[in-house]
Amino acid sequence: MARDRQNLPADRIRPMKNYDLSGKVALVTGAGRPKGLGEGIASKLAQCGASVLITDLGQSPGEHMPDKHIGAADSMQGVAQRIRDNGGTAQAFPLDVRDESQVQAAVAQAVERFGRLDILVNNAGIGYLIAPCTELPQDQWDAVLDVNLKGPFLCTKHAARQMISQGEGGRVINIASQAAKSSFPHMSAYTASKHGLVGLTRTCAMELGPHGITVNAVCPNHVTTGLGAAQNDYFSNHLGLTLEQYIGNIRARNPMRREGKVADTANAVAFLCSDQAVYINGDSLNVTGGEEMH
Protein backbone atom coordinates (compact mmCIF):
# COMPACT_ATOMS: atom_id res chain seq x y z
CA MET A 1 0.00 0.00 0.00
CA ALA A 2 1.30 3.46 -0.91
CA ARG A 3 2.29 5.58 2.05
CA ASP A 4 -0.03 8.45 2.89
CA ARG A 5 1.70 11.62 1.73
CA GLN A 6 0.10 13.76 4.43
CA ASN A 7 1.73 11.69 7.18
CA LEU A 8 5.26 12.11 5.85
CA PRO A 9 7.55 14.47 7.77
CA ALA A 10 7.49 17.96 6.25
CA ASP A 11 11.15 17.76 5.22
CA ARG A 12 10.46 14.62 3.17
CA ILE A 13 7.58 15.99 1.15
CA ARG A 14 8.71 16.95 -2.34
CA PRO A 15 7.76 20.62 -2.89
CA MET A 16 5.30 21.44 -5.64
CA LYS A 17 6.42 23.46 -8.63
CA ASN A 18 6.15 27.19 -8.11
CA TYR A 19 3.13 29.16 -9.24
CA ASP A 20 3.88 31.54 -12.11
CA LEU A 21 3.93 35.13 -10.92
CA SER A 22 6.26 36.37 -13.65
CA GLY A 23 5.83 40.08 -14.33
CA LYS A 24 3.93 40.67 -11.09
CA VAL A 25 5.00 43.17 -8.44
CA ALA A 26 4.37 42.52 -4.75
CA LEU A 27 4.58 44.71 -1.65
CA VAL A 28 5.00 42.75 1.59
CA THR A 29 4.73 44.52 4.95
CA GLY A 30 6.57 43.40 8.06
CA ALA A 31 9.05 41.47 5.93
CA GLY A 32 12.33 42.74 7.34
CA ARG A 33 13.08 40.18 10.06
CA PRO A 34 15.27 37.17 9.27
CA LYS A 35 13.35 33.86 9.25
CA GLY A 36 10.03 35.57 9.87
CA LEU A 37 6.76 34.98 8.05
CA GLY A 38 7.32 38.13 6.02
CA GLU A 39 10.69 37.02 4.71
CA GLY A 40 9.32 33.57 3.92
CA ILE A 41 6.38 35.03 2.00
CA ALA A 42 8.51 37.55 0.12
CA SER A 43 11.06 34.89 -0.79
CA LYS A 44 8.35 32.54 -2.03
CA LEU A 45 6.77 35.21 -4.21
CA ALA A 46 10.20 36.04 -5.64
CA GLN A 47 10.82 32.35 -6.37
CA CYS A 48 7.56 32.40 -8.32
CA GLY A 49 8.84 35.28 -10.45
CA ALA A 50 7.40 38.36 -8.72
CA SER A 51 9.44 41.48 -8.04
CA VAL A 52 9.10 42.26 -4.33
CA LEU A 53 9.24 45.43 -2.26
CA ILE A 54 10.35 44.42 1.24
CA THR A 55 8.97 46.80 3.86
CA ASP A 56 9.39 47.09 7.62
CA LEU A 57 9.91 49.83 10.20
CA GLY A 58 13.66 50.14 9.73
CA GLN A 59 14.07 51.60 13.20
CA SER A 60 12.12 51.44 16.45
CA PRO A 61 9.42 54.14 16.74
CA GLY A 62 8.87 53.65 20.46
CA GLU A 63 8.64 51.38 23.48
CA HIS A 64 5.90 49.10 22.13
CA MET A 65 7.95 48.27 19.03
CA PRO A 66 11.47 47.64 20.35
CA ASP A 67 14.41 46.70 18.16
CA LYS A 68 14.09 42.99 18.90
CA HIS A 69 10.56 42.90 17.47
CA ILE A 70 11.02 44.90 14.27
CA GLY A 71 12.87 44.63 11.00
CA ALA A 72 15.78 47.07 11.30
CA ALA A 73 17.25 48.76 8.25
CA ASP A 74 20.19 46.38 7.96
CA SER A 75 18.04 43.26 8.37
CA MET A 76 15.59 44.56 5.75
CA GLN A 77 18.48 44.98 3.34
CA GLY A 78 19.64 41.48 4.25
CA VAL A 79 16.26 39.99 3.35
CA ALA A 80 16.29 41.77 -0.02
CA GLN A 81 19.88 40.73 -0.68
CA ARG A 82 19.18 37.06 0.05
CA ILE A 83 16.35 37.16 -2.47
CA ARG A 84 18.65 38.70 -5.06
CA ASP A 85 21.38 36.17 -4.27
CA ASN A 86 18.87 33.43 -5.08
CA GLY A 87 18.06 34.96 -8.44
CA GLY A 88 15.03 37.02 -7.43
CA THR A 89 14.24 40.72 -7.63
CA ALA A 90 13.74 42.69 -4.44
CA GLN A 91 14.27 46.07 -2.85
CA ALA A 92 13.91 47.19 0.77
CA PHE A 93 11.93 50.27 1.79
CA PRO A 94 11.08 51.56 5.31
CA LEU A 95 7.39 51.71 6.18
CA ASP A 96 5.35 52.34 9.29
CA VAL A 97 1.95 50.98 8.28
CA ARG A 98 0.21 53.26 10.80
CA ASP A 99 1.24 56.36 8.82
CA GLU A 100 -0.89 57.00 5.73
CA SER A 101 1.72 59.21 4.08
CA GLN A 102 4.33 56.47 4.45
CA VAL A 103 1.91 53.93 2.98
CA GLN A 104 1.37 56.16 -0.03
CA ALA A 105 5.13 56.54 -0.40
CA ALA A 106 5.66 52.78 -0.31
CA VAL A 107 3.07 52.18 -3.02
CA ALA A 108 4.67 54.94 -5.10
CA GLN A 109 8.09 53.35 -4.56
CA ALA A 110 6.86 49.99 -5.83
CA VAL A 111 5.51 51.64 -8.96
CA GLU A 112 8.61 53.78 -9.49
CA ARG A 113 11.01 50.87 -8.98
CA PHE A 114 9.10 48.07 -10.72
CA GLY A 115 6.52 49.84 -12.88
CA ARG A 116 3.29 48.61 -11.25
CA LEU A 117 1.75 46.93 -8.22
CA ASP A 118 -0.21 43.67 -8.43
CA ILE A 119 0.03 42.05 -5.01
CA LEU A 120 -0.20 43.38 -1.46
CA VAL A 121 0.54 41.13 1.50
CA ASN A 122 -0.46 42.70 4.83
CA ASN A 123 1.84 40.78 7.13
CA ALA A 124 3.05 43.41 9.64
CA GLY A 125 1.69 42.71 13.08
CA ILE A 126 2.16 42.86 16.85
CA GLY A 127 1.56 39.66 18.80
CA TYR A 128 3.93 40.07 21.72
CA LEU A 129 1.95 42.53 23.89
CA ILE A 130 0.24 39.94 26.05
CA ALA A 131 -1.66 40.37 29.32
CA PRO A 132 -5.05 39.55 30.86
CA CYS A 133 -7.72 41.94 29.61
CA THR A 134 -8.10 43.35 33.12
CA GLU A 135 -4.42 44.32 33.13
CA LEU A 136 -3.71 45.32 29.52
CA PRO A 137 -2.82 49.03 29.33
CA GLN A 138 -4.81 51.08 26.84
CA ASP A 139 -1.68 52.21 25.01
CA GLN A 140 -0.76 48.56 24.34
CA TRP A 141 -4.27 47.86 23.04
CA ASP A 142 -3.95 50.89 20.75
CA ALA A 143 -0.54 49.77 19.47
CA VAL A 144 -1.82 46.32 18.54
CA LEU A 145 -4.98 47.58 16.82
CA ASP A 146 -3.09 50.31 14.98
CA VAL A 147 -0.58 47.92 13.43
CA ASN A 148 -2.76 44.82 13.01
CA LEU A 149 -5.94 46.45 11.73
CA LYS A 150 -5.45 50.10 10.79
CA GLY A 151 -2.25 49.18 8.94
CA PRO A 152 -3.94 46.67 6.61
CA PHE A 153 -6.77 49.14 6.02
CA LEU A 154 -4.39 51.91 4.96
CA CYS A 155 -2.24 49.61 2.84
CA THR A 156 -5.26 48.06 1.13
CA LYS A 157 -6.76 51.51 0.48
CA HIS A 158 -3.73 52.81 -1.39
CA ALA A 159 -2.60 49.57 -3.03
CA ALA A 160 -6.14 49.04 -4.35
CA ARG A 161 -6.22 52.54 -5.80
CA GLN A 162 -3.07 51.74 -7.75
CA MET A 163 -4.40 48.36 -8.91
CA ILE A 164 -7.69 49.94 -10.02
CA SER A 165 -5.80 52.57 -12.02
CA GLN A 166 -3.87 49.82 -13.81
CA GLY A 167 -7.11 48.09 -14.81
CA GLU A 168 -5.73 44.55 -14.61
CA GLY A 169 -6.97 43.32 -11.25
CA GLY A 170 -4.78 42.34 -8.35
CA ARG A 171 -4.41 40.40 -5.13
CA VAL A 172 -4.59 41.47 -1.49
CA ILE A 173 -3.61 38.85 1.09
CA ASN A 174 -4.09 39.57 4.79
CA ILE A 175 -2.07 37.47 7.21
CA ALA A 176 -4.58 36.83 9.96
CA SER A 177 -4.19 33.96 12.43
CA GLN A 178 -5.93 31.04 14.02
CA ALA A 179 -6.77 33.78 16.53
CA ALA A 180 -9.01 35.28 13.84
CA LYS A 181 -11.42 32.39 14.42
CA SER A 182 -10.73 31.17 17.96
CA SER A 183 -10.24 32.94 21.27
CA PHE A 184 -6.93 32.90 23.11
CA PRO A 185 -6.53 33.99 26.75
CA HIS A 186 -4.32 36.98 27.54
CA MET A 187 -4.46 38.07 23.88
CA SER A 188 -7.58 40.22 23.76
CA ALA A 189 -6.06 42.93 21.55
CA TYR A 190 -4.42 40.48 19.18
CA THR A 191 -7.53 38.29 18.89
CA ALA A 192 -9.80 41.29 18.39
CA SER A 193 -7.51 42.70 15.70
CA LYS A 194 -7.37 39.42 13.80
CA HIS A 195 -11.14 38.90 14.01
CA GLY A 196 -11.46 42.44 12.68
CA LEU A 197 -9.04 41.66 9.87
CA VAL A 198 -11.38 38.92 8.64
CA GLY A 199 -14.19 41.47 8.55
CA LEU A 200 -12.00 43.91 6.64
CA THR A 201 -11.08 41.12 4.22
CA ARG A 202 -14.73 40.32 3.49
CA THR A 203 -15.82 43.91 2.98
CA CYS A 204 -12.89 44.81 0.74
CA ALA A 205 -13.49 41.62 -1.27
CA MET A 206 -17.03 42.79 -1.98
CA GLU A 207 -15.95 46.29 -2.94
CA LEU A 208 -12.88 45.40 -5.00
CA GLY A 209 -14.14 42.23 -6.69
CA PRO A 210 -15.75 44.18 -9.56
CA HIS A 211 -12.27 45.52 -10.38
CA GLY A 212 -10.82 42.00 -10.59
CA ILE A 213 -9.04 42.45 -7.26
CA THR A 214 -9.45 39.52 -4.88
CA VAL A 215 -8.98 39.96 -1.14
CA ASN A 216 -8.35 36.93 1.05
CA ALA A 217 -6.87 36.12 4.44
CA VAL A 218 -4.53 33.34 5.51
CA CYS A 219 -4.98 32.04 9.05
CA PRO A 220 -1.90 30.11 10.27
CA ASN A 221 -1.68 28.33 13.57
CA HIS A 222 1.32 28.81 15.83
CA VAL A 223 4.64 29.25 14.02
CA THR A 224 7.81 29.67 16.08
CA THR A 225 9.26 32.75 14.41
CA GLY A 226 10.69 35.57 16.53
CA LEU A 227 7.13 36.58 17.38
CA GLY A 228 6.14 32.97 18.05
CA ALA A 229 9.12 32.53 20.36
CA ALA A 230 7.96 35.49 22.48
CA GLN A 231 4.55 33.85 22.81
CA ASN A 232 6.17 30.52 23.72
CA ASP A 233 8.15 32.17 26.51
CA TYR A 234 5.13 34.01 27.92
CA PHE A 235 2.72 31.10 27.94
CA SER A 236 5.17 28.45 29.13
CA ASN A 237 6.03 30.69 32.09
CA HIS A 238 2.36 31.51 32.71
CA LEU A 239 1.41 27.82 32.74
CA GLY A 240 4.41 26.72 34.77
CA LEU A 241 5.73 24.51 31.97
CA THR A 242 9.16 24.13 30.47
CA LEU A 243 9.47 25.42 26.94
CA GLU A 244 9.78 21.82 25.71
CA GLN A 245 6.58 20.83 27.53
CA TYR A 246 4.69 23.79 26.11
CA ILE A 247 5.81 23.06 22.53
CA GLY A 248 4.98 19.41 23.09
CA ASN A 249 1.42 20.35 24.03
CA ILE A 250 1.09 22.43 20.86
CA ARG A 251 2.13 19.46 18.77
CA ALA A 252 -0.03 16.98 20.65
CA ARG A 253 -3.28 18.86 19.97
CA ASN A 254 -2.56 19.16 16.25
CA PRO A 255 -3.80 16.34 13.99
CA MET A 256 -0.49 16.47 12.11
CA ARG A 257 1.51 16.53 15.35
CA ARG A 258 3.64 19.52 14.49
CA GLU A 259 3.71 23.30 14.65
CA GLY A 260 3.17 25.39 11.57
CA LYS A 261 6.14 26.28 9.42
CA VAL A 262 6.90 29.53 7.61
CA ALA A 263 6.74 27.64 4.31
CA ASP A 264 3.18 26.47 5.03
CA THR A 265 1.94 30.06 5.12
CA ALA A 266 4.17 31.22 2.26
CA ASN A 267 2.88 28.46 -0.01
CA ALA A 268 -0.73 29.37 0.74
CA VAL A 269 -0.04 33.02 -0.06
CA ALA A 270 1.62 32.12 -3.36
CA PHE A 271 -1.40 30.03 -4.33
CA LEU A 272 -3.86 32.82 -3.54
CA CYS A 273 -1.73 35.22 -5.61
CA SER A 274 -1.76 32.90 -8.62
CA ASP A 275 -4.17 32.64 -11.53
CA GLN A 276 -5.32 29.30 -10.13
CA ALA A 277 -7.01 31.16 -7.27
CA VAL A 278 -8.72 33.76 -9.45
CA TYR A 279 -12.23 32.82 -8.23
CA ILE A 280 -11.38 32.66 -4.52
CA ASN A 281 -12.44 35.93 -2.92
CA GLY A 282 -13.33 37.05 0.60
CA ASP A 283 -12.14 33.78 2.10
CA SER A 284 -10.06 33.16 5.23
CA LEU A 285 -7.96 30.08 4.59
CA ASN A 286 -6.95 27.94 7.56
CA VAL A 287 -3.34 26.79 7.42
CA THR A 288 -3.30 24.89 10.68
CA GLY A 289 -2.76 21.20 9.91
CA GLY A 290 -6.39 20.61 10.88
CA GLU A 291 -6.17 22.25 14.28
CA GLU A 292 -8.76 24.85 13.27
CA MET A 293 -11.66 23.29 11.36
CA HIS A 294 -14.45 25.86 11.47
Side-chain angles (χ1 to χ4, degrees):
M1 181 180 296
R3 295 188 65 185
D4 188 344
R5 176 183 172 88
Q6 71 175 3
N7 290 326
L8 290 174
D11 58 1
R12 292 186 56 196
I13 297 176
R14 184 178 303 169
M16 296 177 63
K17 292 182 179 180
N18 283 332
Y19 301 101
D20 185 8
L21 300 178
S22 302
K24 304 296 185 183
V25 176
L27 189 162
V28 184
T29 69
R33 297 188 68 193
K35 300 182 180 179
L37 275 183
E39 178 178 20
I41 291 165
S43 298
K44 181 65 179 181
L45 297 181
Q47 290 171 13
C48 294
S51 300
V52 185
L53 189 68
I54 305 292
T55 71
D56 213 308
L57 282 168
Q59 61 182 7
S60 171
E63 64 173 326
H64 296 321
M65 300 170 206
D67 290 338
K68 68 178 181 178
H69 286 305
I70 68 163
D74 57 349
S75 64
M76 289 169 56
Q77 294 293 343
V79 170
Q81 188 60 54
R82 283 190 289 278
I83 289 174
R84 293 193 292 267
D85 290 345
N86 288 318
T89 302
Q91 180 184 355
F93 191 78
L95 170 62
D96 185 335
V97 298
R98 303 171 300 168
D99 185 324
E100 188 162 13
S101 65
Q102 291 191 35
V103 171
Q104 291 176 285
V107 170
Q109 177 67 13
V111 175
E112 178 181 342
R113 176 65 178 82
F114 301 120
R116 57 187 298 112
L117 180 62
D118 306 282
I119 296 165
L120 168 67
V121 182
N122 285 310
N123 172 71
I126 293 179
Y128 49 82
L129 297 177
I130 309 171
C133 66
T134 54
E135 299 175 17
L136 184 72
Q138 180 180 322
D139 59 343
Q140 292 191 17
W141 170 276
D142 291 343
V144 174
L145 271 291
D146 277 355
V147 174
N148 293 12
L149 194 52
K150 184 171 77 172
F153 158 67
L154 292 174
C155 291
T156 300
K157 173 182 176 179
H158 291 285
R161 286 181 175 181
Q162 176 61 34
M163 294 174 190
I164 291 169
S165 73
Q166 293 167 183
E168 299 178 19
R171 299 284 188 272
V172 177
I173 312 296
N174 295 319
I175 305 304
S177 168
Q178 187 176 2
K181 300 183 178 183
S182 294
S183 59
F184 286 84
H186 294 211
M187 300 192 74
S188 56
Y190 183 79
T191 302
S193 71
K194 295 301 185 179
H195 275 66
L197 189 55
V198 168
L200 179 67
T201 297
R202 292 170 174 168
T203 297
C204 291
M206 293 180 68
E207 295 183 7
L208 299 177
H211 299 283
I213 300 168
T214 64
V215 186
N216 292 289
V218 174
C219 301
N221 64 337
H222 184 76
V223 183
T224 300
T225 56
L227 171 59
Q231 295 171 351
N232 292 346
D233 290 341
Y234 178 92
F235 285 109
S236 59
N237 289 331
H238 172 70
L239 296 170
L241 301 173
T242 67
L243 187 59
E244 291 74 18
Q245 288 172 328
Y246 179 70
I247 296 296
N249 288 346
I250 290 177
R251 294 170 178 165
R253 68 172 179 254
N254 191 293
M256 296 188 72
R257 299 298 187 264
R258 68 170 176 87
E259 305 162 74
K261 297 180 181 295
V262 169
D264 298 324
T265 298
N267 289 337
V269 171
F271 165 66
L272 289 172
C273 290
S274 75
D275 289 342
Q276 296 182 44
V278 68
Y279 203 56
I280 300 174
N281 192 26
D283 203 358
S284 298
L285 177 64
N286 294 332
V287 183
T288 67
E291 187 177 347
E292 185 73 29
M293 294 193 182
H294 64 276

